[in-house]
Amino acid sequence: MSKLAKRTAFINGVSVEETKIIAPDSFSPNGDGESDTWELPFLRYYKDYNVIITNVWGEEIVKLTEGQTSWDGNKDGEPVLAGIYSYMMNLNGDSKEVKGSFELIRP
């Protein structure tokens, strides 16, 4: 499950809003209808974003841009290997990047 969590704190009387991105930590594109894609539905709230997914060797596997909010576990129409993948998100052109990893599980 992915979500966008917001929290407001008051520092020296000033309201500061913090946004935390929570991305799924795994998915299994096996066609059973459950967790078949790596979903980031909160991306629809951003106008300008990109999410780059790389394998363990740092090779770019896919890049999600405006209108794309999920990945099906394929590269150029072919299934990629099971394993750990990393992502790097840049939202609305912000210089702060969100990084993390997830596991792609195959039977």
Side-chain angles (χ1 to χ4, degrees):
M1 173 201 285
S2 69
K3 63 183 179 178
L4 184 64
K6 290 191 176 191
R7 176 176 76 172
T8 303
F10 290 91
I11 301 172
N12 294 332
V14 177
S15 173
V16 177
E17 189 172 275
E18 175 186 37
T19 302
K20 183 174 182 173
I21 303 294
I22 301 172
D25 59 3
S26 65
F27 79 109
S28 57
N30 58 11
D32 69 355
E34 294 183 31
S35 298
D36 285 329
T37 58
W38 190 65
E39 298 274 343
L40 302 170
F42 59 83
L43 289 177
R44 71 179 183 264
Y45 297 111
Y46 293 90
K47 291 184 180 194
D48 178 31
Y49 63 85
N50 65 65
V51 179
I52 297 172
I53 298 172
T54 59
N55 62 19
V56 294
W57 300 282
E59 174 189 5
E60 184 176 312
I61 302 299
V62 70
K63 182 176 185 177
L64 304 178
T65 56
E66 189 175 346
Q68 300 170 304
T69 61
S70 65
W71 178 49
D72 64 1
N74 293 316
K75 178 181 180 179
D76 300 326
E78 296 294 323
V80 299
L81 296 174
I84 304 297
Y85 290 82
S86 297
Y87 63 86
M88 183 173 51
M89 293 184 208
N90 182 285
L91 306 171
N92 285 342
D94 191 353
S95 61
K96 182 179 177 185
E97 295 176 332
V98 177
K99 297 178 181 182
S101 62
F102 61 90
E103 183 175 11
L104 189 157
I105 302 165
R106 294 204 185 269

